[in-house]
Amino acid sequence: MTPFPLGRPARIAVLASGRGTNLKALMEAFPKGHPLGEVALVLSDNPEALALRRAQEGGVEAVVLPWRGRRAFEEEALALLEAKGIDLVALAGFMRLLSPRFVDPWYGRLLNLHPSLLPDYPGLNVHRRVLEAGEAWTGTTVHFVDRGMDTGPILLQARVPVLPTDTPEALEARVLRREHRLYPKALRLVLLGYGFPPEGLRPLVGEEAWARLQALSPRVRPFHLLALGFLLQAGKAHLAPEALLGRGGPWARGAFLFARLVAEEDPLLREELLELPEEVGRAVAGALFRVESPL
Ligand code: GAR
């Protein structure tokens, strides 16, 4: 269902069109020699991208594929990813839409970062639109890339408050700071095998539980997916259908606590780990540690 964990360090490619602060965060989280994975390649469609300089400064191979149309870019990029043995691709401020030719073979191993709480505010000029709408909260989303624009299954989100005094620039800066922590964490979820798109689960959970999963809103479904990811990696896949139906005992409760605590550190929720049977509590705490830990 998910090729991860690989049992060896993953080779990560980052595609970036601009300033590259999220690239920097990813390079710091996944340096050479990191047991989980290393940023091994940076690709840009823009020869002027600051991201390219950041890659070079960080000792990471940086390649420019100047934009000469989608087909040419995608063919070159696909060939390069294969030649370099890349396992996972992260879009970080990559401002082009990718076609099914690129997206389909990488589905499940291709992530995007978007500066809103998707499915709200897809597309461009997000912060200005959020302010104009008078929102009290915005946020950022990491999702698997599918054929649509900012539509793929959500992996992880974080909320960010909007202040009445914010300009689009001030809001962007606050969201960016949050993204620098969220994106590495989302990659760790995937590389550890906790995060994957839903489709592969259908045969595992059966039709009733699958229908329940499908009926959930796009912002709630990710918690269920992460909980199932936890059960899978804990060797408890057989509990997945029951868990989706709101049953499944302490392992299911532990799995959902894991999913919520991954998304948002909450001291009261963390205390509930102590109410679980010791074996379950230990498994959840261990999984959380691996996801939170930069090493
Ligand atoms: C980030 O805020 C990212 O969410 C956004 O571009 C910024 C890149 O910043 N991505 C998109 O809007 C994609 N539709 P960075 O270059 O400093 O990492």
Side-chain angles (χ1 to χ4, degrees), residues 89-220:
V89 178
L91 308 183
F94 182 71
M95 302 313 269
R96 308 277 187 179
L97 203 58
L98 295 165
S99 81
R101 188 187 319 119
F102 190 98
V103 167
D104 289 355
W106 279 91
Y107 185 65
R109 299 177 299 148
L110 175 60
L111 296 172
N112 184 40
L113 176 68
H114 182 79
S116 78
L117 289 175
L118 290 173
D120 294 346
Y121 303 100
L124 298 174
N125 299 317
V126 170
H127 306 299
R128 187 172 51 69
R129 288 189 285 139
V130 165
L131 287 172
E132 280 168 9
E135 303 281 6
W137 289 94
T138 184
T140 175
T141 301
V142 180
H143 66 94
F144 294 100
V145 178
D146 69 4
R147 292 174 170 206
M149 189 183 67
D150 303 326
T151 53
I154 293 169
L155 169 61
L156 192 62
Q157 299 188 301
R159 292 201 314 162
V160 174
V162 182
L163 304 185
T165 49
D166 279 342
T167 58
E169 293 73 27
L171 189 53
E172 180 189 15
R174 193 176 305 119
V175 170
L176 257 185
R177 278 197 295 278
R178 201 69 193 77
E179 289 184 323
H180 297 159
R181 293 223 306 270
L182 191 79
Y183 213 5
K185 189 197 273 189
L187 262 73
R188 285 195 290 274
L189 282 172
V190 173
L191 296 173
L192 289 162
Y194 297 120
F196 42 77
E199 288 78 5
L201 285 168
R202 191 170 181 166
L204 176 73
V205 300
E207 286 309 305
E208 188 190 357
W210 176 253
R212 182 72 70 92
L213 186 66
Q214 292 303 101
L216 297 168
S217 83
R219 280 202 213 137
V220 173

Side-chain angles (χ1 to χ4, degrees), residues 30-42:
F30 300 101
K32 265 194 190 62
H34 192 289
L36 210 50
E38 63 177 59
V39 177
L41 179 67
V42 173

Side-chain angles (χ1 to χ4, degrees), residues 44-57:
S44 184
D45 58 314
N46 171 16
E48 309 297 323
L50 181 54
L52 290 166
R53 214 164 67 222
R54 289 189 199 270
Q56 281 150 4
E57 282 167 9

